[in-house]
Amino acid sequence: MRVRKAIIPAAGLGTRMLPATKVVPKEMLPVATKPLIQYVVEEALDAGIEHILIITAREKSSIQDHFDRDANMENFLKKVGKADIAKMMSDYLPETGAITYLRQDERLGLGHAIWCARHWAGNEPFVILSPDELLMGEQNCTRMLMDSYEETGGLAIAMQDLPREDVVRYGVIAGTEITLKSGQKVIRADQMVEKPTVEEAPSNHCIIGRYVLDPGIFVHLNKKLAGAGGEIQLTDAISAQLATRDIYGVLYDGERFDCGKRIGWLEANIAAALRSEDLKQDMRNIIKKYANNS
Ligand code: UTP
């Protein structure tokens, strides 16, 4: 079955980024020239996704405003001779109706945020994209997962091989390597653990915030299923499907930035500026200046 839908969970409190996230949602923090959430919306649309559901919460309406047309602003920009900026302001907007918003009324974790989408998802598979995981590799990670799902019919989860000491902050997958018809190597999962200790971790394949799942997940995303940290964990609900469903880990080796923590967000800004034709020379000079002074 073709994957047409994507869910972007954006209702979290972002406590690790306080006080920056006291008033501005974490997903609206800019990286170089645009907010984090715009990167994942673009990743989804570039992969061929047709309909996006953004899970929001109270005090996060700026996310909706960002993807709404501001005709007054566009007209003003044209009037003052900034037609190029006016065009850019409408160019990034997805077509009308492509994004739906739904509020998570209790912050019970990522698993609960996804559970809120059960009626919207209907009978179709869907991608999940975590907006604080910014992926800048050449390949579109969401597209890679969709290809795996469409070829195998098994759930697909993006992963990266990280240093052993980092596994404690991630969900971890272990299993057998197989090669798909497309030539893509994937891991057929036989174990998944959320935030294991270094000793317990069955591998260093860490889950990185992109998934293709299907409505089977909602059976396991029961409110009572609280896991690590008292939150409803998505990884626990996925691993509960291991007995009945093929699940594949798809290795993404492009650059990734964890923008849910300060240093990851700062690094993403530098990396994004160095990729921008407009900004890269100035950014190089700035880096040299500070490197020489430190
Ligand atoms: P995080 O695990 O980073 O949690 O969420 P958080 O609340 O955003 O941030 P910290 O840990 O307090 O700093 C990963 C993704 O899941 C969403 C977040 O918005 C983020 O995009 N999320 C998390 C929800 O939508 N609802 C939740 O209850 C929790």
Side-chain angles (χ1 to χ4, degrees), residues 143 148 151 167 205 217 222-223 230 244 253 271:
R143 187 64 248 174
S148 170
E151 180 177 330
V167 295
H205 303 318
I217 194 73
N222 188 301
K223 273 195 173 196
T244 53
D253 57 12

Side-chain angles (χ1 to χ4, degrees), residues 31-32 136 257 263-276 279-280 283-284 286-287:
V31 168
M136 286 193 203
F257 302 91
I263 199 69
W265 175 75
L266 287 168
E267 187 184 352
N269 272 281
I270 294 170
L274 288 173
R275 277 158 193 263
S276 150
L279 300 173
K280 71 179 174 197
M283 182 50 93
R284 278 191 198 132
I286 290 168
I287 292 169

Side-chain angles (χ1 to χ4, degrees), residues 9-17 26-27 55 60 104 106-110 113 130-132 231 260:
L13 286 172
T15 54
R16 286 169 295 159
M17 297 293 278
K26 174 171 69 173
E27 299 77 12
I55 308 287
K60 289 203 157 188
Q104 182 187 20
E106 282 180 285
R107 255 91 167 208
L108 293 179
L110 175 60
S130 244
D132 46 9
E231 294 192 333

Side-chain angles (χ1 to χ4, degrees), residues 270 282-294:
I270 294 170
D282 286 339
M283 182 50 93
R284 278 191 198 132
N285 294 339
I286 290 168
I287 292 169
K288 271 188 216 145
K289 180 175 122 188
Y290 285 96
N292 292 340
N293 289 345
S294 62

Side-chain angles (χ1 to χ4, degrees), residues 20-42:
T21 47
K22 182 179 175 188
V23 177
V24 178
K26 174 171 69 173
E27 299 77 12
M28 286 299 293
L29 292 178
V31 168
T33 54
K34 54 194 179 190
L36 270 170
I37 195 151
Q38 195 178 325
Y39 287 89
V40 278
V41 165
E42 287 172 359

Side-chain angles (χ1 to χ4, degrees), residues 218-264:
F218 297 120
V219 178
H220 301 280
L221 283 176
N222 188 301
K223 273 195 173 196
K224 296 174 199 96
L225 203 85
E231 294 192 333
I232 295 171
Q233 297 291 347
L234 186 62
T235 312
D236 292 344
I238 301 172
S239 62
Q241 292 186 281
L242 269 173
T244 53
R245 202 77 178 75
D246 279 344
I247 302 178
Y248 296 93
V250 178
L251 193 66
Y252 174 78
D253 57 12
E255 268 190 295
R256 178 183 69 94
F257 302 91
D258 178 358
C259 295
K261 57 179 197 181
R262 294 167 187 194
I263 199 69

